[in-house]
């Protein structure tokens, strides 16, 4: 299983910006920084992630300071700014990252041009921790269940791949429980409509992702019983897994009432979801998505969208293939 890590959701041209930098004697640095903080704060140019000062690479002992983006200098220039630049030992244009780094690979690439700060987020912490061997084995077992569900969806329930049908399931990675499958959610939907399968399959908004999210939401609200199954392989379990298994069996349901949609859960799908389904996964707060193969209309690993990595969204999830 390989993770689809998108270094950026912007073009290379947008990722970097030209900024005027000037060299000063270290004895003047406090005076210069105080003046720039009041006249040309980096926050005005969305560059708070950039270090204002670095050691000049080609002038021994000198300090290089960011002034402002090259495109903004004319608009923000004053007599004081002009005097400051004239008093500088050297002036040149440097390349700086336009955005804060959100991944280690972005930081490594952009920090090479000009020093920037990098605050590691939870997704990066998860990547650094890596995936334990027992979790990898659980993923393999889950894929075996996905294949079985795919056959049930496309053959037994006659939802063909050409019509958007495919197998899949949602798993709680903590207890390693399968909360629902696509076939299970589809059967529930058909049952709700008095066994009118043709009416269900003709719905243009029907897709495996929506079915699973909807089923989990009904489980959390108590509208349908939790009928997930344990993904059991006792030989691969640690003592912690045994304790979780016993606790869940004796004391709790598959999902506690009031659980918010798919928070902390993993989705497995034979085919990559499209844009609408991928956005639904953002709103449902899914944790990870495992995809068997890319799709023509896919929005995660196909094309240029990579919706799970868009900076403007308030939730991001990891995608594996």
């Amino acid at each position: 299983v390989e993770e689809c890590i998108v270094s950026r959701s912007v073009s290379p041209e947008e990722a970097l910006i030209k900024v005027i930098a000037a060299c000063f004697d270290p004895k003047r640095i406090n005076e210069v920084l105080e003046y720039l903080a009041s006249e040309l704060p980096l926050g005005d140019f969305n560059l708070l992630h950039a270090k204002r000062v670095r050691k000049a690479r080609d002038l021994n002992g000198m300090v290089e300071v960011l002034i402002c983006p090259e495109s903004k200098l004319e608009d923000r220039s004053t007599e004081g700014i002009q005097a400051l630049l004239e008093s500088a030992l050297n002036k040149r244009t440097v390349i700086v990252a336009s955005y804060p780094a959100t991944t280690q690979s972005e930081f490594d690439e952009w920090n090479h041009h000009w020093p920037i700060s990098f605050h590691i987020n939870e997704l990066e912490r998860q990547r650094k921790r890596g995936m334990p061997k027992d979790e990898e084995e659980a993923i393999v077992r889950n894929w075996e269940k996905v294949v079985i569900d795919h056959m049930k969806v496309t053959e037994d329930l006659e939802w063909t791949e050409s019509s958007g049908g495919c197998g899949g399931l949602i798993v709680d990675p903590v207890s390693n429980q399968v909360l629902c499958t696509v076939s299970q959610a589809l059967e529930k939907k058909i049952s709700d409509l008095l066994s009118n399968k043709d009416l269900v399959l003709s719905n243009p908004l029907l897709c495996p992702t929506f079915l699973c999210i909807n089923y989990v939401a009904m489980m959390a609200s108590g509208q349908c019983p939790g009928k997930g199954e344990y993904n059991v392989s006792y030989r691969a379990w640690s003592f912690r897994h045994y304790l979780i298994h016993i606790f869940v069996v004796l004391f709790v349901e598959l999902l506690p009432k009031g659980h918010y949609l798919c928070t902390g859960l993993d989705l497995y799908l034979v085919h990559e979801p499209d844009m609408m389904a991928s956005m639904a996964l953002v709103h449902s707060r899914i944790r990870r998505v495992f995809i068997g193969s890319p799709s023509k209309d896919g929005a995660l690993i196909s094309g240029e969208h990579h919706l799970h990595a868009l900076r403007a969204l308030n939730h991001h999830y990891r995608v594996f293939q």
Side-chain angles (χ1 to χ4, degrees):
V1 178
E2 183 176 348
E3 183 173 5
C4 174
I5 301 176
V6 182
S7 295
R8 65 174 72 93
S9 54
V10 293
S11 65
E13 294 76 20
E14 295 175 305
L16 302 172
I17 186 174
K18 294 181 178 180
V19 180
I20 300 297
C23 288
F24 296 94
D25 190 299
K27 296 179 181 179
R28 293 189 57 200
I29 198 64
N30 288 337
E31 168 201 342
V32 171
L33 291 179
E34 184 177 347
Y35 180 76
L36 290 176
S38 62
E39 296 297 321
L40 294 173
L42 290 180
D44 287 0
F45 314 111
N46 296 320
L47 291 175
L48 287 176
H49 56 279
K51 306 287 186 180
R52 186 114 218 189
V53 176
R54 75 173 179 184
K55 290 183 178 180
R57 294 176 176 177
D58 46 4
L59 293 174
N60 292 334
M62 297 297 104
V63 176
E64 200 167 16
V65 182
L66 290 182
I67 305 299
C68 77
E70 189 178 53
S71 59
K72 303 291 184 181
L73 182 60
E74 185 175 346
D75 295 336
R76 300 293 296 268
S77 183
T78 63
E79 290 185 3
I81 297 297
Q82 289 297 330
L84 180 68
L85 291 174
E86 290 173 2
S87 67
L89 301 174
N90 189 21
K91 182 182 73 172
R92 62 179 173 178
T93 300
V94 296
I95 301 298
V96 180
S98 303
Y99 302 95
T102 56
T103 66
Q104 186 67 48
S105 60
E106 282 184 345
F107 174 73
D108 294 339
E109 179 181 350
W110 294 345
N111 193 62
H112 173 73
H113 297 286
W114 183 276
I116 58 175
S117 58
F118 176 51
H119 304 288
I120 189 168
N121 56 31
E122 181 56 30
L123 292 184
E124 281 298 306
R125 290 192 187 96
Q126 292 174 12
R127 292 186 182 113
K128 283 183 175 294
R129 286 196 294 266
M131 194 176 292
K133 185 177 180 180
D134 59 345
E135 188 173 4
E136 292 180 354
E137 293 172 349
I139 290 171
V140 172
R141 295 193 299 273
N142 286 333
W143 271 119
E144 293 173 355
K145 292 180 177 291
V146 171
V147 172
I148 295 172
D149 189 65
H150 183 69
M151 294 175 63
K152 186 172 183 178
V153 169
T154 57
E155 296 178 12
D156 297 352
L157 295 174
E158 300 177 339
W159 190 13
T160 62
E161 292 188 59
S162 60
S163 301
C166 76
L169 48 84
I170 286 186
V171 178
D172 181 351
V174 176
S175 60
N176 204 28
Q177 290 176 277
V178 177
L179 300 181
C180 81
T181 64
V182 173
S183 61
Q184 181 182 4
L186 181 57
E187 287 175 336
K188 169 66 176 171
K189 182 68 71 174
I190 294 172
S191 172
D192 291 344
L193 293 176
L194 304 176
S195 301
N196 193 334
K197 184 170 68 175
D198 293 336
L199 181 61
V200 173
L201 296 181
S202 63
N203 186 342
L205 295 179
L206 184 70
C207 75
T209 302
F210 285 171
L211 282 172
C212 287
I213 292 174
N214 183 61
Y215 194 92
V216 169
M218 289 192 294
M219 287 175 61
S221 62
Q223 296 180 45
C224 67
K227 294 181 180 178
E229 54 184 288
Y230 285 97
N231 188 6
V232 178
S233 178
Y234 295 107
R235 288 178 299 176
W237 280 19
S238 64
F239 182 67
R240 181 176 71 91
H241 286 119
Y242 280 112
L243 291 179
I244 292 173
H245 175 76
I246 294 170
F247 178 78
V248 171
V249 169
L250 295 179
F251 301 109
V252 302
E253 298 179 6
L254 292 181
L255 273 182
K257 197 167 184 178
H259 180 90
Y260 184 74
L261 296 179
C262 299
T263 302
L265 305 180
D266 294 343
L267 171 68
Y268 291 74
L269 282 176
V270 170
H271 298 310
E272 178 186 9
D274 62 12
M275 177 67 75
M276 188 179 296
S278 299
M279 194 64 200
L281 291 171
V282 172
H283 292 305
S284 69
R285 298 298 189 267
I286 199 74
R287 177 174 176 255
R288 296 183 300 188
V289 177
F290 296 86
I291 297 168
S293 62
S295 302
K296 181 181 66 175
D297 300 322
L300 299 178
I301 59 178
S302 303
E304 301 177 353
H305 298 298
H306 303 298
L307 192 133
H308 63 291
L310 285 180
R311 297 173 183 276
L313 300 181
N314 62 355
H315 175 73
H316 302 91
Y317 50 87
R318 300 172 70 185
V319 174
F320 298 80
Q321 183 185 10

